[in-house]
């Protein structure tokens, strides 16, 4: 059903526009709208026909500079807007690369070090692996979302981790992310890291500590407030000690953390639960029973993922 459309009230249009040769996203959107002759309501209608749901109010905020597209659905909408308005692919999307930092992009100097020292007390695996640099660990990056998948082999040992991490720079000039994984079996003979998004610049495996530290470069220099995606897999060499849990320590809250654990069909645990710890030495709390699905997997997706340690533990199969 096509509703009758009405022009936007005069108050919804900016009082003036700039003719700069390097327009901002909102300026470019306003120009493209004027050139097309479409109202925002008509643009909304065309987006709906393409299966994209963005309200006229949101579109109005975009063209007035009150907000900017960030979510995947919104970024998809921008691509469709380019096609509808005939601006050419990337004409509007390219103007979204640098945006004013908000929220966690405004981490103050020293805040990350303080947060790290809270969740990683002295003597923690991170401190043992990085020494004096432990509390400067990724000090100018904050994680926005982390998606982590863990796969166990038929003997109950963790064999592979895959991680996708969206990060934001809190100052200009950030070039890389450092990752640290603590293995639960110090007899693990080898590890291999494959980077799908980013570039592996350095790798250090300390078998005596069960510690893997590696650096992944962005391939560019991030400006303050700019985001990057890191995607990698960690293959663990032959192991003999069955794993009983996996967890991730987050020094600051994140928008989303998903931990997904796949068990081998021959080694499905008798019980599993998600848990939270305030820091690396705190007991497990907020236990949530988990039931394996048809793929022999369990997961946690905390509704409010605050700083601390989030994990899944399991018990051996019944024999």
């Amino acid at each position: 059903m096509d509703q009758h459309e009405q022009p936007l009230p005069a108050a919804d249009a900016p009082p003036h526009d700039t003719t700069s040769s390097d327009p901002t996203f909102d300026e470019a959107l306003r120009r493209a709208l004027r050139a097309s002759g479409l109202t925002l309501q008509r643009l909304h209608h065309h987006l709906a026909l393409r299966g994209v749901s963005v309200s006229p109010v949101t579109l109005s905020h975009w063209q007035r500079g009150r907000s900017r597209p960030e979510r995947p659905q919104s970024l998809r909408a921008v691509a469709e807007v380019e096609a509808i308005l005939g601006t050419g692919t990337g004409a509007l999307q390219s103007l979204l690369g640098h945006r004013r930092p908000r929220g966690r992009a405004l981490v103050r100097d020293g805040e990350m070090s303080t947060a790290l020292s809270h969740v990683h007390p002295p003597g923690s695996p991170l401190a043992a692996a990085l020494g004096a640099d432990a509390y400067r660990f990724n000090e100018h990056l904050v994680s926005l979302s982390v998606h982590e998948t863990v796969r166990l082999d038929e003997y109950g040992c963790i064999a592979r981790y895959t991680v996708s991490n969206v990060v934001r720079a809190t100052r200009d000039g950030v070039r890389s992310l450092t990752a640290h994984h603590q293995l639960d079996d110090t007899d693990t003979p080898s590890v291999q890291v494959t980077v799908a998004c980013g570039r592996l610049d350095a790798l250090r495996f300390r078998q005596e500590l069960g510690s893997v530290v590696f650096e992944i470069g962005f391939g560019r220099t991030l400006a303050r407030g700019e985001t990057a995606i890191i995607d990698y897999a960690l293959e663990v060499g032959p192991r003999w000690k069955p794993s009983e849990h996996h967890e991730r320590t987050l020094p600051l809250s994140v928008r989303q953390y998903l931990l997904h654990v796949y068990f081998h069909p021959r080694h499905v645990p008798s019980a599993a639960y998600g848990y939270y710890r305030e820091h690396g030495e705190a007991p497990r709390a907020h236990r949530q029973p988990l039931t394996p699905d048809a793929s022999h997997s369990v997961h946690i997706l905390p509704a409010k993922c605050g700083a601390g340690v989030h994990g899944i533990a399991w018990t051996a199969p019944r024999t």
Side-chain angles (χ1 to χ4, degrees):
M1 180 177 180
D2 191 3
Q3 297 180 322
H4 297 290
E5 74 182 61
Q6 297 293 332
L8 288 171
D12 199 52
H16 64 275
D17 201 355
T18 178
T19 57
S20 166
S21 60
D22 187 18
T24 60
F25 171 79
D26 52 293
E27 292 165 356
L29 178 57
R30 290 197 299 272
R31 293 178 189 178
L33 278 167
R34 281 200 303 267
S36 71
L38 292 178
T39 64
L40 288 182
Q41 288 181 334
R42 192 63 186 171
L43 178 59
H44 163 72
H45 172 71
H46 283 292
L47 287 169
L49 291 178
R50 292 168 178 251
V52 179
S53 177
V54 179
S55 72
V57 172
T58 296
L59 293 171
S60 175
H61 286 174
W62 289 356
Q63 64 99 30
R64 289 174 59 82
R66 290 184 175 180
S67 65
R68 300 184 70 176
E70 294 181 24
R71 298 178 183 275
Q73 178 79 351
S74 297
L75 296 177
R76 180 195 167 197
V78 174
E80 297 294 345
V81 167
E82 291 173 344
I84 295 167
L85 301 183
T87 64
T89 302
L92 297 176
Q93 297 174 76
S94 64
L95 301 176
L96 294 172
H98 298 276
R99 66 183 189 84
R100 185 169 56 189
R102 302 187 307 172
R104 272 300 177 188
L106 301 177
V107 174
R108 296 182 297 273
D109 288 344
E111 183 177 351
M112 181 62 80
S113 294
T114 301
L116 282 167
S117 65
H118 177 71
V119 294
H120 293 285
S124 68
L126 181 68
L130 297 180
D133 292 331
Y135 299 126
R136 300 187 62 186
F137 182 64
N138 293 324
E139 62 181 333
H140 299 300
L141 287 171
V142 291
S143 288
L144 303 182
S145 68
V146 182
H147 180 181
E148 189 167 19
T149 301
V150 178
R151 294 183 181 273
L152 282 76
D153 63 21
E154 60 183 313
Y155 305 106
C157 302
I158 293 177
R160 177 180 172 90
Y161 309 84
T162 57
V163 177
S164 181
N165 190 1
V166 182
V167 296
R168 174 177 291 152
T170 62
R171 75 167 187 182
D172 293 339
V174 182
R175 296 175 176 272
S176 63
L177 170 145
T178 301
H180 171 253
H181 283 264
Q182 188 66 31
L183 307 179
D184 53 12
D185 184 358
T186 55
D187 289 330
T188 302
S190 64
V191 296
Q192 180 178 346
V193 176
T194 304
V195 179
C197 189
R199 180 185 62 217
L200 182 62
D201 289 339
L203 171 64
R204 182 175 63 181
F205 172 44
R206 296 185 60 182
Q207 184 179 16
E208 75 279 10
L209 297 177
S211 171
V212 187
V213 179
F214 48 97
E215 185 173 328
I216 299 177
F218 302 129
R220 59 192 175 100
T221 300
L222 300 186
R224 183 172 185 263
E226 195 173 2
T227 57
I229 299 175
I230 289 297
D231 199 339
Y232 64 87
L234 176 65
E235 304 278 354
V236 182
R239 308 175 73 188
W240 301 272
K241 178 182 177 183
S243 302
E244 298 177 343
H245 76 285
H246 180 76
E247 60 186 27
R248 175 168 285 263
T249 302
L250 299 169
L252 299 172
S253 60
V254 299
R255 293 180 181 177
Q256 184 182 83
Y257 173 57
L258 171 62
L259 172 57
H260 194 183
V261 178
Y262 283 89
F263 301 103
H264 193 279
R266 297 180 184 174
H267 204 280
V268 180
S270 57
Y273 61 89
Y275 63 86
Y276 169 79
R277 298 196 291 153
E278 186 177 346
H279 53 77
E281 296 181 347
R284 295 172 182 173
H286 308 296
R287 298 191 182 200
Q288 173 190 0
L290 302 173
T291 302
D293 58 19
S295 300
H296 311 297
S297 74
V298 296
H299 73 276
I300 56 171
L301 182 65
K304 293 182 179 180
C305 194
V309 184
H310 300 264
I312 295 177
W314 54 88
T315 57
R318 296 187 181 91
T319 56

